[in-house]
Amino acid sequence: ATGTSWCIDPINGDYWTGYGGYSIAAKTGYPSITVPMGMLMGLPLGLSFISKPYDEPGLISIGYAFEQLTKHRIKPGFLPAFKS
């Protein structure tokens, strides 16, 4: 299972939302790349691609092609600071 990033909660404390897609590649030693795939409730989401060993050039090509075709990358902005 995969999940979104940890929730940052300044009142009740941060909490874990699930596993990330990075763990499979990290455990096997296979290369992976994560590219932007949209937003969820104002937070960025990423899509991870995993490839066979030593195929980093092919993996970068796939990630680049996905970014160019989908145009899901959104320029980051600064949100107002939280005031307690």
Side-chain angles (χ1 to χ4, degrees):
T2 61
T4 58
S5 59
W6 287 43
C7 293
I8 299 172
D9 186 337
I11 310 257
N12 300 309
D14 302 349
Y15 59 93
W16 187 53
T17 56
Y19 293 99
Y22 48 81
S23 62
I24 295 169
K27 290 176 184 175
T28 61
Y30 287 8
S32 68
I33 189 169
T34 303
V35 294
M37 67 172 253
M39 302 286 279
L40 175 66
M41 296 172 29
L43 297 173
L45 294 176
L47 175 65
S48 295
F49 293 99
I50 301 170
S51 186
K52 60 187 177 186
Y54 308 107
D55 189 33
E56 285 85 350
L59 194 57
I60 291 169
S61 295
I62 290 169
Y64 179 77
F66 180 85
E67 284 189 314
Q68 297 306 303
L69 288 170
T70 62
K71 304 289 186 199
H72 284 311
R73 183 182 183 281
I74 297 172
K75 182 179 178 182
F78 291 101
L79 299 175
F82 176 78
K83 294 181 182 181
S84 55

